Amino acid sequence: MAALFGRRMRRGAASTAVAAAAMAALSASGAPSAVGEQPAASAADRPSAGASGQEDPSITGDSPYHTELPELKGPGRNDPPDETPATGSAESGIPATVLDAYRKAEASLAASNPRCRVPWELLAAIGKVESGHARGGRLDTNGTTPSPILGPVLNGVGFANISDTDGGAYDGDTLHDRAVGPMQFIPQTWESWGRDGNGDGRRDPNNIYDAALAAGSYLCAHDRDLTVERDLHQAILGYNRSQEYLRTVLHWYDYYRKGAHEVPDGSQPAPGAPTGTGGTTPSPAPVRPGTPSPSPTKPGKPTKPSKPGDGSSSKPTPPPTTPPPTTPPPTTPPPTTPAPATRLVDLGDGALSAPAGERFAERPAVRAERADKKPAAQAKVRFTLAGETGTTFEGGATTVTVTTKADGVAKAPALLAGGKPGALTVKATLLGTTEPVTLGLRGEVTAPRADKLVRTDETELTCEAGATFEGRIALTATRDGQAAPGVAATATVLAGADPADGEKAAEKGPYFLTPGDEPAEDRRTRELTLTTDAKGNLLLPELHTDDTTGTFRLRVETTGGAVVVLELKVTDPA
């Protein structure tokens, strides 16, 4: 069956009922653009819209899609009654590698996002509509298309107007973007949603495993449950803003759920290619829902001549004329391979630093450059952590590989400082070169901190001279509202009730006793360093007094600047 192409809705075109319905559904559902839903990214990390004043593009940039529908059982119709496709039919066949990619994406997302429950049949439906299952399974042994599957130039002529966002790295076009790969991602949505589905350390939109996992991740955005009809429709409309697209995908989804089977890679005709002998006889167009099939003319039945006066023309019909040949449309040159990267440049503004147990404010970032010092897109940079601090990248990994963007920048995931203070190094290694280039980025994990300290006991802080205060003072340190364990704190007895009396330790008055076997007189101290326990609690030793009476202050301060000042009163003996 020849593949037909549907044109996605044009931005700024005159309103129609279908367009209004599609956009109303999208608006009401909150179906996001890809850039708006980028996980764990700051506004500076997210790509901007393709044209000034327009909304962000759909995941495919409003490119064409295949509108052919499955042939379901039923007399003279192709709309979806509840019939099951014929077992082993050509239409229900999915190339082996493509089917494996859909199923592995389903399994991966079931483990990482069990709420979503994305079915592989939905990925198959989208893959069928977007690229005919990667041109009928024409893939290499790694699942990558031998040549890129490119949509039309998104220059605003019939489609969205999206200026180039990748320097031509994905689509070979440095003026405008184009949808790329088996699942038809435009470059800026791939930067947000691209995934490594086959574990080779790369995110390649031309690889069916990477593309299928990326498509599933996007469909699962906004905590969707795809077994709920509303969520399912939102996800598909977010992928492509067209009610006709929604209906087409749902047709194939329903079809594959009723039965599908594996066929060898490359055994099916590529979508849109002629299926006749020698590739010259065009295939008949598929029957669309509600369109009656034309009745064939019976062979051998002569045509009756017209009679004068019966309303027909008596003049012979002139033979059809052959239209003059037209100039074929210009072809887009194949993508060019950019020059490889040869060096790395550190983009940090100094040493990376964070308190133990906290997130680093700065992410390690480098720029890959070619020999001419221009940015190198699509370069692979591996970030590796070294040191004994227990620091990891967000997600728990100590080694990650990142692909540079059009500006040559590779930014590692956020760093989470371990619990042990000390020095660390982030090694950035440029891969794919004869001799890998490595750049060392220095970092440090400092002592854990607290931003709040509160007293939790109700001990009376009045004592007679020469005696011991009743009970022990207890405090709790927190950071961002959570318990702050392992935080250093200093407790100091200060003279006088007024800060003007000074912040140095008093020479007389209340005191602590340090542990040891020496006489008590030798173990007196008015300044003590302690550490909060696993729950952020701090229990001070007993406070004793000498024969000095008056009012004193006890100042307790943690790393991070949390402070508590308590008033101590020493009275004459009774």
Side-chain angles (χ1 to χ4, degrees):
M1 177 182 298
L4 300 180
F5 290 91
R7 178 164 296 178
R8 304 177 196 268
M9 294 167 53
R10 301 185 184 185
R11 304 181 191 277
S15 299
T16 65
V18 172
M23 295 311 295
L26 179 68
S27 175
S29 68
S33 67
V35 288
E37 289 184 359
Q38 180 179 354
S42 66
D45 295 327
R46 292 195 290 265
S48 60
S52 177
Q54 293 182 343
E55 62 183 88
D56 294 333
S58 65
I59 204 165
T60 56
D62 293 349
S63 300
Y65 59 92
H66 298 287
T67 60
E68 61 182 349
L69 296 178
E71 293 285 357
L72 298 174
K73 294 180 180 180
R77 66 177 186 173
N78 191 38
D79 221 17
D82 293 330
E83 292 94 357
T84 302
T87 303
S89 66
E91 283 190 314
S92 62
I94 300 177
T97 300
V98 181
L99 181 58
D100 183 55
Y102 296 150
R103 285 174 168 163
K104 285 185 175 177
E106 178 193 54
S108 176
L109 290 165
S112 63
N113 190 355
R115 169 181 166 76
C116 179
R117 293 183 281 189
V118 58
W120 70 261
E121 293 92 343
L122 177 60
L123 297 175
I126 292 175
K128 174 68 174 179
V129 169
E130 292 297 343
S131 69
H133 299 312
R135 297 184 182 132
R138 284 157 176 79
L139 303 163
D140 64 18
T141 55
N142 295 320
T144 303
T145 59
S147 59
I149 300 175
L150 298 174
V153 177
L154 298 177
N155 56 7
V157 181
F159 311 109
N161 185 3
I162 305 178
S163 298
D164 174 64
T165 61
D166 66 330
Y170 291 115
D171 54 17
D173 192 326
T174 57
L175 295 179
H176 295 89
D177 274 349
R178 302 175 70 175
V180 181
M183 305 303 276
Q184 290 290 278
F185 281 82
I186 57 174
Q188 62 175 295
T189 53
W190 182 257
E191 283 297 324
S192 300
W193 293 98
R195 299 291 186 268
D196 178 13
N198 59 357
D200 65 353
R202 302 177 62 234
R203 299 184 305 148
D204 184 357
N206 297 299
N207 182 276
I208 185 60
Y209 290 96
D210 294 0
L213 182 58
S217 299
Y218 174 79
L219 294 171
C220 288
H222 276 329
D223 200 26
R224 294 190 184 105
D225 178 356
L226 297 184
T227 62
V228 176
E229 183 179 271
R230 183 174 181 272
D231 284 2
L232 174 65
H233 289 194
Q234 286 176 0
I236 298 172
L237 283 171
Y239 203 101
N240 183 301
R241 300 183 175 106
S242 164
Q243 289 287 347
E244 180 62 27
Y245 180 85
L246 173 64
R247 287 191 291 269
T248 303
V249 169
L250 291 176
H251 271 72
W252 282 106
Y253 176 39
D254 183 63
Y255 184 74
Y256 287 136
R257 290 176 67 192
K258 292 176 180 177
H261 66 282
E262 178 183 304
V263 297
D265 290 345
S267 62
Q268 297 175 320
T275 57
T277 303
T280 58
T281 305
S283 302
V287 180
R288 299 293 291 164
T291 304
S293 301
S295 301
T297 304
K298 294 182 179 180
K301 185 175 181 179
T303 303
K304 293 183 180 181
S306 59
K307 297 180 181 180
D310 64 357
S312 63
S313 173
S314 60
K315 296 181 180 179
T317 303
T321 59
T322 303
T326 58
T327 303
T331 58
T332 302
T336 57
T337 303
T342 59
R343 71 172 194 150
L344 293 176
V345 178
D346 182 10
L347 298 182
D349 56 3
L352 301 162
S353 179
E358 298 189 43
R359 182 190 301 266
F360 281 69
E362 183 181 354
R363 291 164 56 186
V366 297
R367 182 173 63 248
E369 293 183 347
R370 306 193 302 248
D372 58 4
K373 296 187 178 181
K374 291 185 178 180
Q378 292 296 288
K380 303 297 179 184
V381 179
R382 177 182 296 156
F383 292 94
T384 305
L385 289 170
E388 302 297 328
T389 63
T391 300
T392 66
F393 293 109
E394 193 169 30
T398 56
T399 299
V400 295
T401 300
V402 179
T403 303
T404 61
K405 300 181 180 180
D407 57 4
V409 174
K411 186 174 286 188
L415 287 171
L416 302 180
K420 184 178 179 181
L424 62 88
T425 301
V426 184
K427 295 181 179 179
T429 303
L430 178 62
L431 305 179
T433 58
T434 305
E435 295 184 3
V437 178
T438 299
L439 193 66
L441 314 178
R442 293 177 300 167
E444 180 186 14
V445 176
T446 59
R449 67 179 181 87
D451 55 26
K452 189 174 183 180
L453 186 66
V454 296
R455 184 184 175 196
T456 55
D457 72 288
E458 296 180 356
T459 301
E460 176 67 35
L461 298 182
T462 300
C463 182
E464 295 179 358
T468 299
F469 281 83
E470 183 178 353
R472 295 170 64 182
I473 298 172
L475 305 103
T476 296
T478 58
R479 179 180 62 248
D480 299 328
Q482 303 295 321
V487 176
T490 301
T492 307
V493 177
L494 306 173
D498 193 329
D501 294 329
E503 297 296 316
K504 292 183 179 181
E507 296 181 356
K508 297 181 180 181
Y511 60 88
F512 300 105
L513 287 177
T514 60
D517 297 329
E518 297 85 357
E521 290 289 334
D522 297 333
R523 292 188 286 115
R524 290 184 180 186
T525 182
R526 292 180 175 85
E527 189 168 14
L528 198 64
T529 299
L530 305 166
T531 303
T532 60
D533 64 15
K535 296 183 179 180
N537 296 325
L538 196 66
L539 185 61
L540 272 59
E542 288 183 327
L543 264 174
H544 308 276
T545 65
D546 56 17
D547 57 3
T548 306
T549 61
T551 301
F552 301 85
R553 286 169 292 143
L554 174 63
R555 176 187 173 92
V556 184
E557 182 175 6
T558 69
T559 303
V563 179
V564 166
V565 178
L566 305 176
E567 188 174 86
L568 307 176
K569 292 184 178 181
V570 180
T571 62
D572 292 321

